[in-house]
Amino acid sequence: MAFFRPRVSREAEVRHHADQEVGKSFPELLEKARAAEAELRRVQAAAAPVEELRAAGLAFDRALTEALRAAEANQRATFGIKAYDDRLRRRKGKATPKGAEWSAEVDRLRTLREQNRLTGIARVPRPVTATAR
């Protein structure tokens, strides 16, 4: 009798190690996002001009996006190396305590980013140009 034990693909190993490396920077990126949010709230409280509000909102969006990418990388790495090739392994990984914790963190960051995109980035009116007839 031969026992069949499927190996993970080389691509899955490479992606797993890359996600581990990206995930290591999550605490620093989350701290940058918190600092960007504090700056946005400070600018909003100071009733700054619209251009400054927009710049602070976009900086917060960029910081949140970087933190979200690192959290997603940590989530994938937590699910395990076999989860890169098998959707059932991904579901099982999400059911573990660490997997559920990272999934909740990813959902929280996505919600925060979407909320910022809807309400936190100030709209700057387009400049009106005079057209000659």
Side-chain angles (χ1 to χ4, degrees):
M1 244 178 14
F3 292 99
F4 179 72
R5 183 176 176 153
R7 285 208 15 96
V8 293
S9 66
R10 178 72 181 140
E11 179 186 347
E13 290 176 2
V14 169
R15 289 174 59 200
H16 181 70
H17 292 300
D19 281 344
Q20 286 177 329
E21 289 300 314
V22 171
K24 287 180 183 176
S25 63
F26 176 73
E28 296 88 31
L29 293 172
L30 188 61
E31 191 56 40
K32 278 178 58 177
R34 286 185 178 137
E37 182 181 19
E39 176 64 19
L40 174 64
R41 301 300 175 230
R42 185 194 64 76
V43 169
Q44 286 174 339
V50 177
E51 292 82 14
E52 195 174 332
L53 279 170
R54 180 169 176 78
L58 289 173
F60 182 42
D61 184 63
R62 281 190 298 275
L64 274 177
T65 301
E66 290 173 5
L68 178 61
R69 286 187 181 140
E72 288 171 340
N74 267 336
Q75 179 188 32
R76 288 188 301 266
T78 301
F79 290 169
I81 196 165
K82 292 181 181 179
Y84 289 89
D85 292 334
D86 186 9
R87 70 178 182 83
L88 293 177
R89 291 286 180 165
R90 277 192 296 276
R91 286 185 61 201
K92 286 181 179 183
K94 197 177 272 195
T96 64
K98 285 297 257 184
E101 180 183 325
W102 278 110
S103 295
E105 182 68 18
V106 166
D107 289 343
R108 186 183 71 79
L109 287 172
R110 278 190 187 137
T111 302
L112 191 59
R113 185 179 68 171
E114 288 303 313
Q115 180 184 9
N116 180 57
R117 286 183 175 178
L118 290 173
T119 61
I121 300 174
R123 307 287 190 260
V124 177
R126 293 182 184 152
V128 178
T129 59
T131 56
R133 287 191 181 216

